[in-house]
Amino acid sequence: MADRPRVLVTRMIPDAGLDRIRAHCDADIWLNARPIPYDTLLRRVEGVGGMVCMLADRIDAAVMDAAGPGLKVISQYAVGFDNIDVAEAARRGIPVGHTPGVLTESTADMTFAMMMAIARRVPEGIEYVRAGKWRTWGPTLFMGRDIHGATLGIVGLGRVGKAVAERAAGFKMRVLAYDPTCTEEEAAGVGAALVSLEELLRAADFVSLHAPLTSETRGMIDAEALAAMKPGAYLINTARGQLIDQAALTQALQNKQIAGAALDVTDPEPVSARDPLLAMNNVIVLPHIASASVATRDRMAVMAAENLLAGLKGKALPNPVRDD
Ligand code: GLV
Ligand code: GLV
């Protein structure tokens, strides 16, 4: 059909979304397993009516210029959208969609998986058995830190932060939260007590980050914040690598200021294979997979497709980003 809108999809997303897009659009899909290079993006976006993009794509004014005046929608396959110049899109009247809500529970599940793995030394134990080092039951072998009864400090009590707090109740944890946009009642609803960041860092055995990346949150966990943490505490990050000053974290771990870290996100991504963090037993680094369950990635793909198709028709997006 001649009137099928042309769209660019910057990676292979699950078929649940691609099939919907292909049914209605003439879709140019970047098939490579690596992100589309910026220069190539500028070329391939030319003349499209809409695009589905990923966290690794910088979507700025130049990309919108390259697309041209026919660009009607930018649909992000993620909940976070710090890679997109949303203010610029708003100025041009281009709606931006994202995938909130559907990945909340999967991300909270992974937060717990990481917290428990680092505290109970699961990767070290696996490594030890695989290396053939397991000779006998050891009375003091791989002793770790209990999750139950510990104090969890949640930085950013949004959708994911709340889902983490709900899980923590089942583990009999005390939950503190820092979130300047949250009310006491909202926090109490998930069993969390709102405190200042200073108080949270001082009291928490586990500090878990769930804030979006903004100019206010960038680098919020710096040398000073790390120094304020309990000596035996762990840092968990499933949000954005840039929330942490990673050089300062490396130093805090090397100086044994904190007990360990579990990171699903790094700065930059991917982390270098030679990064000193990867040589530490008390550090887990995962390749940004907190939302990566089959069901959740399917739902994200459908949501991204629905935002795209609505935008192409000039309708309100089912899941627009808030321009703030
Ligand atoms: C993942 O990081 C997302 O924002 O969806
Ligand atoms: C995920 O970060 C969400 O807020 O749904």
Side-chain angles (χ1 to χ4, degrees):
M1 278 192 307
D3 62 345
R4 284 158 63 89
R6 274 185 54 220
V7 300
L8 175 66
V9 181
T10 66
R11 294 291 285 283
M12 284 287 284
I13 63 172
D15 284 337
L18 276 187
D19 289 348
R20 275 178 170 70
I21 295 170
R22 287 196 188 106
H24 300 279
C25 309
D26 177 1
D28 176 14
I29 301 163
W30 179 252
L31 300 172
N32 205 291
R34 302 238 185 137
I36 186 167
Y38 184 72
D39 287 350
T40 312
L41 171 62
L42 289 177
R43 272 202 314 278
R44 299 269 282 257
V45 82
E46 215 176 293
V48 300
M51 61 187 305
V52 174
C53 52
M54 317 287 135
L55 293 167
D57 306 321
R58 188 170 92 232
I59 307 297
D60 54 13
V63 171
M64 299 175 208
D65 282 340
L71 182 64
K72 290 193 182 132
V73 57
I74 298 168
S75 175
Q76 168 94 336
Y77 177 72
V79 65
F81 46 84
D82 43 90
N83 56 307
I84 301 174
D85 188 341
V86 173
E88 181 59 31
R91 262 195 295 282
R92 296 167 183 238
I94 304 167
V96 178
H98 69 144
T99 65
V102 289
L103 49 67
T104 302
E105 302 294 332
S106 296
T107 304
D109 285 352
M110 184 60 111
T111 303
F112 259 83
M114 291 166 60
M115 187 160 72
M116 299 183 82
I118 193 69
R120 297 300 305 274
R121 307 178 65 179
V122 172
E124 288 178 84
I126 292 171
E127 191 54 40
Y128 180 81
V129 174
R130 284 207 171 134
K133 293 181 182 160
W134 186 24
R135 296 283 176 257
T136 181
W137 184 84
T140 60
L141 190 61
F142 290 123
M143 294 190 296
R145 176 78 170 80
D146 277 324
I147 300 287
H148 71 270
T151 297
L152 171 63
I154 297 177
V155 177
L157 198 62
R159 287 173 290 248
V160 179
K162 286 189 180 111
V164 169
E166 285 168 349
R167 283 159 178 72
F171 282 89
K172 303 181 173 65
M173 300 180 90
R174 180 164 80 106
V175 183
L176 305 177
Y178 166 69
D179 189 328
T181 68
C182 190
T183 65
E184 302 265 354
E185 297 73 50
E186 231 183 305
V190 291
L194 277 188
V195 294
S196 66
L197 183 59
E198 294 68 39
E199 207 173 330
L200 182 150
L201 295 172
R202 185 153 29 84
D205 301 303
F206 297 92
V207 173
S208 190
L209 307 183
H210 302 286
L213 178 64
T214 66
S215 49
E216 281 101 67
T217 63
R218 184 179 296 274
M220 73 191 296
I221 305 300
D222 56 8
E224 197 184 332
L226 290 159
M229 284 174 67
K230 269 190 181 177
Y234 294 84
L235 181 63
I236 320 295
N237 191 4
T238 53
R240 284 293 179 270
Q242 296 92 327
L243 299 182
I244 300 176
D245 175 343
Q246 207 163 284
L249 173 62
T250 305
Q251 208 162 39
L253 288 160
Q254 280 164 345
N255 299 341
K256 308 216 177 322
Q257 270 171 256
I258 63 171
L263 313 172
D264 184 47
V265 287
T266 56
D267 179 23
E269 292 185 8
V271 73
S272 157
R274 289 181 303 279
D275 193 290
L277 286 173
L278 302 189
M280 299 182 192
N281 284 336
N282 55 342
V283 174
I284 294 173
V285 181
L286 292 176
H288 202 146
I289 55 172
S291 71
S293 74
V294 173
T296 288
R297 287 286 166 91
D298 277 355
R299 283 195 289 263
M300 286 167 62
V302 170
M303 204 178 250
E306 286 173 350
N307 282 328
L308 177 79
L309 297 175
L312 288 169
K313 286 190 198 132
K315 293 192 181 154
L317 307 194
N319 287 282
V321 306
R322 286 178 307 123
D323 175 29
D324 56 13

